């Protein structure tokens, strides 16, 4: 470590700075991890960008201290930037400078000097800042081990691009995959060049130098993938990062999912209360995916034709894509809301199937709630998650798109019927129950994730 020896105060009372990339899908898992650390006696400050903190509608009720750095666009974040390229370029310049200022401020704070920076894998320059101050640097991956491994092996040139269509893709530690199972940045080369650079290259440039690699997954869920990566990195699986009330119940009254950039509609929960057990399809495409209008209309018609009830989250920015007078036509068969408390929805017995884009948070939340999934992946890691949901964990189906990339209404109806009452229904329900139990056990006392968090803390105390 380059500079200064840590003071004895830092050794006695570990204080962690947890730094998240500014999106809801990254901030919340890192908040939940912070709560676990705090519950186990570590002082934690959670930081993201000023622009992100300005867009938050609902802040968590936890007692975690919050702070900010700058991405260079304090007024509007990425939406204010000329392009994704400009945004990331400026963030990479201003981020380390303002992170340095934050570390100096926290080192002089009442919580005591920092021992460690847990930084989002998307912000690899944070390791240089940690080193400058002689702090432990732990990188945090918000995606699955399988996805991290694919991206890493592309970065290393082990998996060569462009991928040859029709051939199985071989990634060490993973089952053979198809090109369409790959994260979108590599199966659809050129789709988002700046994100490609960040996700395939930047996040792995110094991963081998990190003191610890934390991954929001469950060891039992990705044994082969995690074992393989453990030979390369000091990996610790620490997920699922879900409030304790919905999982292991070790932390009292820990229900709050955290930050929300949209206002949740709690009517959704009352509406669900009046539906029979297992009768509702819950539909959500996460906080970022933008559906083609044609896809939106196919989903709408499938839900309208289906024999099941449905609860559909259509973010305000997507509402104009709904067919005209859709909400009136469906009357009380379905409910459309702009946002909902997803974990509480998934925990409700009325929900029998989750039609999802397969973001990793949603995948872990459904799996931990024992709800089978119908996968309609949209971008980034979601196709890989969809493949695992259907073929590895066998807790759902992946809907097939036509040649134009649109999943038609008949396919959605067929798959939801299969999951709710068809031949595979029993198998996916039983597997879902099994994973729900395993997720609880992993986070429960002495479970694989709980043990890994304890060992991480021990390493901070001893370092
Ligand atoms: O009405 C809703 C809908 C969603 N959520 C929450 O929003 C989160 C959505 O997360 P996720 O399913 O992971 O999707 P994104 O927010 O789009 O996450 C981004 O970040 C993830 C982690 O890197 C990736 O796996 C995704 O593909 C990427 O799109 C979940 O925690 C949900 O509980 C709500 O609270 N209410």
């Amino acid at each position: 470590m380059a500079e200064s020896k840590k003071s004895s105060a830092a050794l006695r009372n570990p204080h962690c700075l947890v730094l998240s990339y500014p999106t809801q899908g990254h901030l919340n898992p890192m908040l939940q991890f912070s709560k676990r650390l705090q519950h186990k006696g570590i002082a934690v400050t959670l930081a993201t960008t000023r622009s992100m903190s300005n867009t938050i509608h609902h802040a968590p009720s936890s007692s975690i201290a919050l702070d900010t750095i700058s991405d260079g666009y304090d007024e509007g974040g990425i939406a204010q930037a000329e392009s994704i390229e400009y945004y990331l370029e400026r963030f990479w310049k201003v981020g380390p400078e303002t992170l340095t200022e934050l570390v100096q401020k926290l080192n002089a704070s009442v919580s005591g000097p920092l021992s460690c920076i847990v930084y989002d894998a998307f912000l690899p320059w944070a390791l240089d800042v940690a080193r400058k101050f002689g702090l432990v640097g732990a990188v945090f991956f918000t995606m699955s081990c399988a996805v991290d491994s694919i991206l890493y092996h592309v970065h290393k040139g082990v998996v060569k691009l462009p991928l040859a269509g029709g051939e199985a893709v071989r990634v060490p530690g993973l089952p053979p995959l198809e090109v369409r199972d790959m994260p979108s940045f590599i199966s659809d080369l050129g789709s988002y060049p700046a994100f490609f650079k960040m996700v395939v290259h930047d996040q792995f440039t110094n991963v081998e130098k990190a003191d610890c690699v934390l991954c929001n997954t469950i060891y039992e869920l990705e044994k082969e993938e995690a074992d393989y990566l453990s030979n390369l990195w000091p990996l610790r699986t620490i997920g699922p990062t879900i409030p304790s009330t919905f999982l292991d119940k070790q932390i009292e009254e820990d229900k709050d999912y955290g930050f929300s950039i949209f206002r949740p509609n709690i009517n959704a929960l009352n509406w669900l209360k009046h539906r029979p057990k297992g009768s509702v399809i819950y539909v959500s495409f996460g906080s970022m995916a933008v559906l083609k209008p044609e896809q939106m209309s196919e989903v709408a018609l499938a839900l309208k034709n289906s024999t099941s009830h449905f609860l559909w989250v259509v973010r305000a920015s997507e509402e104009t894509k709904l067919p005209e007078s859709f909400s009136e036509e469906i009357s009380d068969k379905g409910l459309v809301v702009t946002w909902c408390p997803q974990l509480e929805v998934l925990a409700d017995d009325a929900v029998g199937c989750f039609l999802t884009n397969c973001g990793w948070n949603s995948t872990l939340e459904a799996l931990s709630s024992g709800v089978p999934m119908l996968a309609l992946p949209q971008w980034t890691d979601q196709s890989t998650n969809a493949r695992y949901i259907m073929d590895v964990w066998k807790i759902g189906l992946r809907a097939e798109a036509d040649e134009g990339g649109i999943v038609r209404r008949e396919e959605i109806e067929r798959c939801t019927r299969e999951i709710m009452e068809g031949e595979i229904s029993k198998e996916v329900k039983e597997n879902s129950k099994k994973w729900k139990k395993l997720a609880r056990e992993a986070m429960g006392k002495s479970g694989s994730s709980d043990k890994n968090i304890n060992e991480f803390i021990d390493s901070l105390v001893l370092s």
Side-chain angles (χ1 to χ4, degrees):
M1 294 190 180
E3 209 186 87
S4 81
K5 292 264 171 288
K6 283 184 285 301
S7 73
S8 56
L11 294 179
R12 274 198 312 275
N13 299 309
H15 177 190
C16 267
L17 171 59
V18 177
L19 177 69
S20 162
Y21 184 78
T23 57
Q24 169 145 348
H26 285 232
L27 191 50
N28 279 334
M30 295 190 82
L31 165 73
Q32 300 306 331
F33 179 65
S34 301
K35 288 199 292 189
R36 296 272 167 181
L37 291 181
Q38 191 185 51
H39 179 68
K40 290 172 185 288
I42 301 285
V44 183
T45 301
L46 175 65
T48 187
T49 59
R50 278 168 213 143
S51 54
M52 178 66 185
S53 80
N54 290 338
T55 56
I56 286 165
H57 245 299
H58 167 80
S61 55
S62 79
S63 56
I64 300 280
L66 303 176
D67 221 313
T68 53
I69 63 164
S70 177
D71 53 11
Y73 293 91
D74 289 349
E75 300 310 316
I78 201 162
Q80 192 200 350
E82 300 82 335
S83 66
I84 303 171
E85 282 79 2
Y86 272 121
Y87 174 75
L88 292 176
E89 208 174 292
R90 191 154 164 69
F91 194 178
W92 263 223
K93 185 176 177 304
V94 179
E97 291 165 7
T98 50
L99 177 60
T100 299
E101 287 161 16
L102 179 60
V103 171
Q104 284 163 339
K105 183 179 106 177
L106 293 175
N107 273 344
S109 73
V110 283
S111 306
L114 289 169
S115 323
C116 171
I117 301 182
V118 174
Y119 60 95
D120 196 311
F122 281 12
L123 308 176
W125 38 260
L127 183 60
D128 302 329
V129 178
R131 289 286 178 262
K132 197 161 77 184
F133 288 93
L135 305 175
V136 170
V139 57
F140 188 106
F141 282 89
T142 58
M143 296 184 190
S144 71
C145 276
V147 168
D148 299 332
S149 189
I150 294 171
L151 299 170
Y152 175 74
H153 285 100
V154 173
H155 168 72
K156 285 287 182 190
V158 175
V159 174
K160 300 215 180 334
L161 300 182
L163 299 166
E167 277 176 33
V169 186
R170 301 274 169 182
V171 182
L174 271 73
L177 298 171
E178 291 174 43
V179 173
R180 67 178 197 140
D181 303 328
M182 293 291 112
S184 66
F185 303 126
I186 53 183
S187 60
D188 186 11
L189 276 181
S191 52
Y192 289 93
F195 285 146
F196 174 89
K197 180 177 169 297
M198 176 173 76
V199 167
V200 174
H201 294 303
D202 294 353
Q203 68 168 344
F204 297 108
T205 47
N206 57 7
V207 66
E208 283 104 351
K209 297 193 186 125
D211 297 301
C212 177
V213 176
L214 302 161
C215 187
N216 180 19
T217 191
I218 309 167
Y219 175 72
E220 289 75 8
L221 194 62
E222 297 196 274
K223 256 191 195 146
E224 287 80 18
E225 293 77 0
D227 284 343
Y228 187 87
L229 289 179
S230 295
N231 292 323
L232 306 174
W233 311 334
L235 182 79
R236 290 187 192 281
T237 51
I238 51 79
T241 52
I242 289 176
S244 191
T245 300
F246 295 96
L247 211 59
D248 53 293
K249 304 193 169 49
Q250 284 198 75
I251 312 178
E252 250 173 70
E253 283 304 309
D254 179 32
K255 275 180 87 158
D256 196 334
Y257 189 69
F259 299 94
S260 184
I261 47 177
F262 311 101
R263 195 186 296 281
N265 180 337
I266 49 164
N267 280 342
L269 296 175
N270 290 333
W271 184 88
L272 275 181
K273 275 199 181 66
H274 298 102
R275 312 291 137 187
K277 189 173 173 190
S279 70
V280 175
I281 306 169
Y282 168 57
V283 189
S284 163
F285 293 94
S287 67
M288 298 176 85
V290 176
L291 266 68
K292 288 187 183 144
E294 198 182 358
Q295 183 63 80
M296 194 78 168
S297 144
E298 291 298 316
V299 173
L301 292 167
L303 294 174
K304 202 168 117 184
N305 292 343
S306 148
T307 48
S308 304
H309 296 290
F310 65 88
L311 170 63
W312 187 5
V313 178
V314 179
R315 301 193 312 271
S317 55
E318 295 278 281
E319 273 180 321
T320 54
K321 296 179 194 165
L322 279 173
E324 228 173 282
S325 49
F326 179 72
S327 293
E328 292 89 77
E329 283 171 23
I330 54 170
S331 71
D332 72 342
K333 177 181 178 175
L335 180 69
V336 178
V337 295
T338 50
W339 199 246
C340 73
Q342 178 163 301
L343 268 169
E344 287 172 71
V345 165
L346 289 170
D348 196 299
D349 273 358
V351 175
C353 171
F354 180 14
L355 170 47
T356 170
N357 62 330
C358 309
W360 188 234
N361 298 298
S362 293
T363 302
L364 284 178
E365 289 165 18
L367 184 136
S368 306
S369 311
V371 177
M373 285 172 260
L374 172 55
L376 237 85
Q378 299 298 308
W379 76 316
T380 177
D381 56 339
Q382 297 165 7
S383 304
T384 318
N385 300 338
R387 172 70 193 257
Y388 272 69
I389 287 168
M390 178 157 163
D391 293 328
V392 179
W393 307 315
K394 300 186 192 318
I395 48 176
L397 292 175
R398 174 185 180 149
E400 293 294 334
D402 66 9
E403 294 93 48
I406 300 292
V407 179
R408 295 294 164 192
R409 66 194 82 160
E410 296 80 9
E411 172 68 354
I412 299 173
E413 279 181 69
R414 180 187 72 79
C415 293
T416 48
R417 218 178 310 116
E418 265 299 311
I419 292 173
M420 305 283 273
E421 61 205 43
E423 272 177 29
I424 60 136
S425 179
K426 191 162 174 269
E427 184 190 355
V428 293
K429 282 179 187 158
E430 271 168 16
N431 287 336
S432 299
K433 262 195 215 147
K434 178 186 95 182
W435 286 115
K436 174 178 174 176
K437 184 165 171 279
L438 282 165
R440 267 147 222 244
E441 285 169 4
M443 264 315 192
K445 251 195 167 57
S446 308
S448 56
S449 296
D450 186 61
K451 205 163 124 275
N452 281 339
I453 297 173
N454 289 341
E455 285 174 10
F456 171 62
I457 290 174
D458 290 348
S459 74
L460 293 184
V461 175
L462 296 172
S463 64

